[in-house]
Amino acid sequence: MKLTFYNTASRSKQEFVPMVEGHVSLYCCGPTVYNYAHIGNLRTYIFEDLLRRTLEFNGYKVKHVMNITDVGHMTTDADAGEDKMEVAARRENRSPLEIARFYEEAFFLDTQRLNILRPNTAPRATEHIVQMIELIGRLEQNGLTYQTPEGVYFDTALFENYGKMARLNLSGQRTERDEVISDDSKRNPSDFMLWFLNKPHHLMQWSSPWGPGYPGWHIECSAMSMQYLGETFDIHCGGIDHIPVHHTNEIAQSEGATHHPFVNYWMHGEFLLMNKEKISKSKGGSINTLQSLVDAGYDPMTYRYFCLQAHYRGELNFSLDALDAAASGLRKIYALSEADDPLANKEDEFQAEHKRLLEILNDDLSISQVIGQLHSIGSRRLWLEFDQVLGLQIEEHSRRAEEPLPQSVQDLITLRNTARSNRNWAESDAIRDQIIAMGFDVLDGPQGTQVKRKLLEEAVR
Ligand code: AMP
Ligand code: ZN
């Protein structure tokens, strides 16, 4: 079936045609592992997971590569400031490598809890320095670089299409990038660092043809994507903040070296906002990581579902009220029973609905619309089918309801029923609270105490 994606490069929806029939090469910019991912970052990874799952649902074999940035990402996306890894190392009194491995593991724990599929390959920048040096060498040979005491720069004025994807107006450019220029010998405001030199205090250093130093952030993604996916590949993703600087520079470096197109489809996820502001790892209230949501009593699936209810190209406002609403919607999905399925034994209708929903999904990943339709149809079987894309673990959660109650709970039920028949309300209430505290729902029905397993963690506010 036809698949259509909004391509940032053309600013329009285009039919997706992969380079090799049946196969998709997909590169997603990965985390800078200097801190826990914030829930805004995680929104972007949920969008990319939706993309990958949609491709696989359509029968494509996907090769998914996501880098781990463990050196060279400065505190501004342009080159000014300090390496985030080294700032974190000082903050936590650990080596940059310890910081990197610790937060990489934390990142994959978060993505696993959100049921985000692990990339096929997750290359680390520090393990691909050779490829980066080689790529910078090619750019040098093509005459696109110059050297100052600060490092080796890419000369953006010499690359004809610089800023085309982002539609940058370079002549009138007085961007934040100008304001943070720390190097007077830089030729153009938009020139960027390929290899930092003369930074004796930087802990991570490698030797290179230009002298000891470390790579710039942008060259990492060009080197690693080309290493694993080839010099031209199908889809490149990231958050929309990457359009004007990071992805613009990736294109310049890659095409400047190879002289052919780098990426066929650019896809960007919009931001998650908190109180209408951008979330950042350094800024933000007490709730800005997945763990902080879990600590507040939310199941990670609630956050995943919350994100899927919005289109990836629209801003999304985060609030606990919105998260509570998502939890109650999700509880309804988990509570659907096979016995009440309106499409049970209606194979033709099931297939027709399946096709209709897939068409909606394939129109630039309109998963929020699919969710709306699934709610109104109310078919558990159809939800389960689309859970291959939704990734809400519907089967696992709803199966919980059918598991037998532990003996300790059954004993409490017997005690409570006795207390109730003796009209001992105080004891009955106390036992009810005890059962609830053990993580169950308690209802009083005509047959006495009814206890059910919770289908989803509940946040108490
Ligand atoms: P970083 O670890 O800072 O390199 O960011 C990882 C990913 O999260 C990148 O694709 C960013 O574009 C994306 N990102 C950063 N902030 C947000 C946000 N508030 N909402 C959604 N995505 C974001
Ligand atoms: Zn990148």
Side-chain angles (χ1 to χ4, degrees):
M1 193 185 283
K2 189 172 142 183
L3 250 173
T4 309
F5 296 138
Y6 182 87
N7 188 349
T8 306
S10 65
R11 297 292 192 283
S12 64
K13 282 193 203 170
Q14 278 173 238
E15 181 170 354
F16 175 66
V17 184
M19 297 195 307
V20 180
E21 204 185 323
H23 292 260
V24 180
S25 41
L26 169 68
Y27 186 85
C28 304
C29 287
T32 305
V33 283
Y34 70 104
N35 207 336
Y36 295 105
H38 63 61
I39 53 178
N41 303 135
L42 294 171
R43 180 188 183 200
T44 293
Y45 299 109
I46 291 171
F47 141 61
E48 291 160 351
D49 188 55
L50 169 68
L51 169 64
R52 169 170 168 187
R53 285 171 180 268
T54 298
L55 290 163
E56 290 178 345
F57 198 58
N58 279 274
Y60 288 107
K61 183 137 188 29
V62 181
K63 184 164 182 198
H64 177 197
V65 176
M66 186 196 72
N67 65 294
I68 301 288
T69 296
D70 52 2
V71 67
H73 192 171
M74 308 306 275
T75 42
T76 67
D77 277 359
D79 306 315
E82 259 192 283
D83 188 326
K84 293 180 180 188
M85 298 306 304
E86 307 243 331
V87 176
R90 254 200 331 270
R91 179 187 71 214
E92 299 187 19
N93 210 7
R94 291 195 269 182
S95 74
L97 200 70
E98 283 171 325
I99 293 285
R101 297 302 175 264
F102 177 84
Y103 288 111
E104 178 185 321
E105 197 181 324
F107 173 79
F108 281 120
L109 185 65
D110 280 351
T111 53
Q112 190 191 332
R113 291 193 287 184
L114 288 166
N115 200 20
I116 292 172
L117 300 172
R118 214 177 161 106
N120 305 97
T121 312
R124 294 169 179 148
T126 51
E127 292 167 4
H128 293 76
I129 301 293
V130 172
Q131 287 85 344
M132 295 173 207
I133 290 176
E134 200 250 343
L135 188 57
I136 300 169
R138 281 171 84 178
L139 293 170
E140 191 176 40
Q141 266 176 11
N142 291 350
L144 294 170
T145 65
Y146 61 93
Q147 193 170 330
T148 78
E150 297 290 326
V152 182
Y153 280 104
F154 185 98
D155 190 332
T156 54
L158 299 180
F159 180 71
E160 197 182 344
N161 285 326
Y162 186 77
K164 185 168 166 233
M165 190 265 290
R167 308 205 168 170
L168 297 182
N169 172 11
L170 290 173
S171 54
Q173 196 189 25
R174 280 221 55 89
T175 65
E176 57 185 293
R177 282 196 255 174
D178 288 76
E179 287 146 34
V180 294
I181 287 179
S182 53
D183 185 0
D184 293 339
S185 48
K186 204 165 145 174
R187 291 184 190 161
N188 312 288
S190 50
D191 292 353
F192 56 91
M193 199 66 96
L194 299 166
W195 188 264
F196 289 89
L197 288 169
N198 297 314
K199 304 283 178 289
H201 299 299
H202 202 273
L203 298 170
M204 292 180 281
Q205 303 263 353
W206 291 266
S207 53
S208 82
W210 311 280
Y214 60 97
W217 171 43
H218 316 297
I219 197 76
E220 301 178 0
C221 280
S222 289
M224 293 190 277
S225 58
M226 292 202 275
Q227 164 86 13
Y228 294 99
L229 298 173
E231 293 187 352
T232 304
F233 56 92
D234 292 309
I235 309 177
H236 193 312
C237 298
I240 78 159
D241 56 325
H242 285 347
I243 299 172
V245 183
H246 183 51
H247 290 167
T248 290
N249 293 349
E250 277 188 46
I251 294 171
Q253 296 162 150
S254 307
E255 300 188 357
T258 69
H259 298 300
H260 47 73
F262 175 42
V263 165
N264 290 332
Y265 300 84
W266 284 96
M267 294 177 70
H268 293 99
E270 250 294 355
F271 261 40
L272 180 81
L273 306 182
M274 213 191 265
N275 305 322
K276 309 250 183 278
E277 279 184 34
K278 282 190 200 170
I279 299 168
S280 71
K281 289 181 200 182
S282 42
K283 203 168 70 177
S286 54
I287 296 223
N288 58 6
T289 61
L290 185 65
Q291 186 58 46
S292 64
L293 291 183
V294 171
D295 292 341
Y298 294 95
D299 189 300
M301 278 304 105
T302 303
Y303 184 65
R304 183 177 173 101
Y305 180 61
F306 165 75
C307 289
L308 293 176
Q309 283 178 306
H311 194 272
Y312 75 92
R313 281 196 293 117
E315 285 180 344
L316 177 61
N317 267 310
F318 178 84
S319 72
L320 289 182
D321 286 341
L323 207 58
D324 287 337
S328 84
L330 192 52
R331 229 170 261 127
K332 280 189 198 131
I333 303 169
Y334 290 159
L336 284 175
S337 80
E338 213 172 321
D340 303 328
D341 196 324
L343 298 182
N345 307 318
K346 291 185 185 161
E347 197 55 30
D348 288 351
E349 255 183 73
F350 175 84
Q351 293 304 340
E353 291 290 24
H354 190 288
K355 181 165 178 285
R356 193 171 65 85
L357 296 190
L358 185 57
E359 271 167 11
I360 298 174
L361 176 67
N362 284 2
D363 178 8
D364 198 26
L365 308 176
S366 299
I367 193 70
S368 48
Q369 284 185 48
V370 172
I371 289 174
Q373 296 286 321
L374 282 167
H375 272 296
S376 55
I377 301 166
S379 160
R380 180 177 144 83
R381 187 178 158 208
L382 209 51
W383 272 109
L384 284 179
E385 178 66 15
F386 276 87
D387 203 34
Q388 292 171 62
V389 175
L390 292 160
L392 294 171
Q393 301 174 320
I394 297 174
E395 178 93 61
E396 294 89 315
H397 277 80
S398 49
R399 211 187 307 123
R400 258 186 225 170
E402 271 125 51
E403 286 168 21
L405 296 171
Q407 190 59 46
S408 54
V409 173
Q410 291 184 28
D411 293 344
L412 285 171
I413 295 172
T414 312
L415 277 179
R416 182 161 188 265
N417 284 338
T418 310
R420 285 173 70 80
S421 56
N422 295 336
R423 301 182 154 269
N424 188 345
W425 306 126
E427 189 181 339
S428 151
D429 286 352
I431 298 173
R432 186 195 59 207
D433 293 346
Q434 206 180 333
I435 301 174
I436 291 173
M438 290 165 80
F440 297 85
D441 283 332
V442 179
L443 297 164
D444 288 320
Q447 292 93 24
T449 304
Q450 283 192 325
V451 175
K452 286 188 177 173
R453 280 176 189 278
K454 278 207 181 94
L455 299 178
L456 188 67
E457 286 309 316
E458 232 161 293
V460 184
R461 287 206 280 139

